[in-house]
Amino acid sequence: MEDILQTLHQHTCSWLKGNITMYKYQNFWTTKHLIEGGILAQQNFKAEPSDVFLCSPPKTGTTWLKSLAFAIVTREKFDESTSPLLTKLVHECVPFLERQVAEIVAQRPNSGLPLIATHLPYSSLPESVAASNCKIVYIYRNAKDAIVSDYHFRREALKLDMEDAPFEGAVEEFCEGFSSYGPYWDHILGYWKASLERPERILFLKYEDLKRDPASNVKRLAEFIGHPFSDDEEKVGVVDNIVSLCSFENLSNLEVNKTGKPKGGTLENRLYYRKGKDGDWKNHFTDEMKERIDKLMDEKLSGTGLVLK
Ligand code: A3P
């Protein structure tokens, strides 16, 4: 492992006062620990056809997607008053491939939960993911809100004030491709192209669409992952109950998500719940920054059918 890591290009995030070094592995950037996890997953993880991968670039709605998918697949066991989501951070309910590969492999085939989350780009997923033909749900978000969300997440994780972590620096680095698991556009395009080739296996969800119409998107998600709602369930309000259980307002106000810390982790749970809004970028971007990101996204995504403003 060390041999591989020593050959990789490195980049130190200057806007974070040099506190984070990222490595470039298979054309994406992330921290050493996550690259090690990705390599271990590539080497040891064998996907099953019944697995459901929840994939995303960081800060685009992973926590929300994991909560919804977990509530959907466990709804016969738990309801909105007994769900583990009320007492545990969702990242302890749905495993994250790069951090928990050994645990995931050890628990197979009887974990009872088909869900596995990852930030790995499509081309870096373990080969068995495509070979097994298992399902993939991908969530993404407009680039400007993803930048703002990532900026506050990393800044707060390092306990830096805004004066010590200039936002312009985060925008600059994003444009150069140095976002976590970035370049951002490559991450999205990798999954987008795969979804065009295998639309029945890869569902694309957009954070903004989920915000605008959660119930229809929750139904799409449930159907896609093989747990569709029956007419009776819809009539008695099961879809609405899952939407309310997993709403930002509900989850962010739970004690576990306000004051908890995951077992063995250093990050506080509250960092996964900041504002939960579409459009907070308007409070951070100058006109010039907005134009720069919009132009960049137009250039990178032109002709693909994807719109990311
Ligand atoms: P903001 O920083 O814009 O508030 P990820 O889960 O991929 O790390 O993404 C985090 C973003 O999703 C944060 O966005 C967070 O507030 C938001 N989020 C977390 N849970 C959510 C929920 N249940 N509903 C809507 N947004 C949610």
Side-chain angles (χ1 to χ4, degrees), residues 141-153:
R141 180 184 205 182
N142 83 73
K144 297 190 288 290
D145 278 338
I147 296 172
V148 170
S149 186
D150 185 62
Y151 166 77
H152 287 295
F153 182 80

Side-chain angles (χ1 to χ4, degrees), residues 57-64 141 149 207 211 246-248 251 272-277:
K59 313 321 296 170
T60 61
T62 321
T63 309
W64 195 10
R141 180 184 205 182
S149 186
Y207 182 93
K211 269 296 236 202
C246 299
S247 69
F248 182 85
L251 292 180
Y272 295 98
Y273 297 91
R274 194 182 62 92
K275 285 198 174 171
K277 293 212 163 87

Side-chain angles (χ1 to χ4, degrees), residues 74-303:
T74 61
R75 71 183 185 270
E76 286 184 359
K77 225 163 143 189
F78 308 113
D79 65 18
E80 60 286 357
S81 62
T82 56
S83 175
L85 294 173
L86 299 170
T87 49
K88 278 187 186 177
L89 178 69
V90 67
H91 303 312
E92 292 187 44
C93 300
V94 178
F96 177 43
L97 186 66
E98 295 90 299
R99 285 201 197 280
Q100 287 164 276
V101 65
E103 255 172 79
I104 298 172
V105 169
Q107 283 170 7
R108 313 214 112 202
N110 298 320
S111 81
L113 189 75
L115 309 172
I116 299 171
T118 182
H119 290 315
L120 287 173
Y122 185 77
S123 55
S124 293
L125 289 173
E127 282 173 13
S128 59
V129 175
S132 70
N133 218 17
C134 68
K135 291 191 175 162
I136 293 178
V137 182
Y138 187 75
I139 189 160
Y140 69 113
R141 180 184 205 182
N142 83 73
K144 297 190 288 290
D145 278 338
I147 296 172
V148 170
S149 186
D150 185 62
Y151 166 77
H152 287 295
F153 182 80
R154 297 216 252 173
R155 181 183 65 70
E156 287 209 39
L158 291 170
K159 303 196 186 323
L160 293 175
D161 291 333
M162 287 180 74
E163 303 77 64
D164 292 330
F167 181 66
E168 310 79 76
V171 174
E172 181 64 37
E173 297 222 328
F174 176 93
C175 292
E176 289 174 25
F178 299 127
S179 53
S180 179
Y181 288 86
Y184 188 70
W185 47 89
D186 283 347
H187 201 286
I188 297 174
L189 282 176
Y191 281 91
W192 177 245
K193 286 177 188 155
S195 80
L196 296 179
E197 284 160 22
R198 304 194 304 136
E200 68 303 335
R201 308 317 286 175
I202 306 181
L203 175 71
F204 251 64
L205 289 177
K206 202 169 174 184
Y207 182 93
E208 291 78 6
D209 293 341
L210 255 182
K211 269 296 236 202
R212 213 172 359 257
D213 185 356
S216 310
N217 283 289
V218 164
K219 284 196 260 178
R220 267 177 85 203
L221 173 62
E223 181 136 357
F224 180 79
I225 62 181
H227 293 261
F229 294 101
S230 65
D231 290 345
D232 283 349
E233 282 185 306
E234 287 201 33
K235 262 187 224 141
V236 298
V238 176
V239 178
D240 294 337
N241 289 346
I242 288 180
V243 168
S244 308
L245 169 68
C246 299
S247 69
F248 182 85
E249 293 65 30
N250 188 46
L251 292 180
S252 64
N253 281 308
L254 295 172
E255 206 47 45
V256 61
N257 294 328
K258 283 204 292 198
T259 57
K261 271 190 184 177
K263 265 185 241 135
T266 50
L267 290 178
E268 294 162 80
N269 295 353
R270 65 174 183 86
L271 295 183
Y272 295 98
Y273 297 91
R274 194 182 62 92
K275 285 198 174 171
K277 293 212 163 87
D278 170 16
D280 190 36
W281 64 266
K282 290 175 194 147
N283 299 317
H284 294 75
F285 275 66
T286 61
D287 289 348
E288 200 184 315
M289 286 175 188
K290 175 192 178 298
E291 267 165 42
R292 183 171 179 200
I293 297 292
D294 286 349
K295 191 160 166 266
L296 179 70
M297 287 300 147
D298 281 348
E299 268 167 31
K300 299 290 181 189
L301 304 182
S302 81

Side-chain angles (χ1 to χ4, degrees), residues 3-12 21-32 35 178:
D3 293 356
I4 303 179
L5 290 167
Q6 272 171 15
T7 62
L8 303 180
H9 288 298
Q10 293 181 28
H11 171 78
T12 299
T21 298
M22 296 203 291
Y23 292 73
K24 189 180 195 181
Y25 174 67
Q26 297 185 339
N27 288 325
F28 72 93
W29 290 96
T30 194
T31 56
K32 186 175 169 184
I35 286 183
F178 299 127

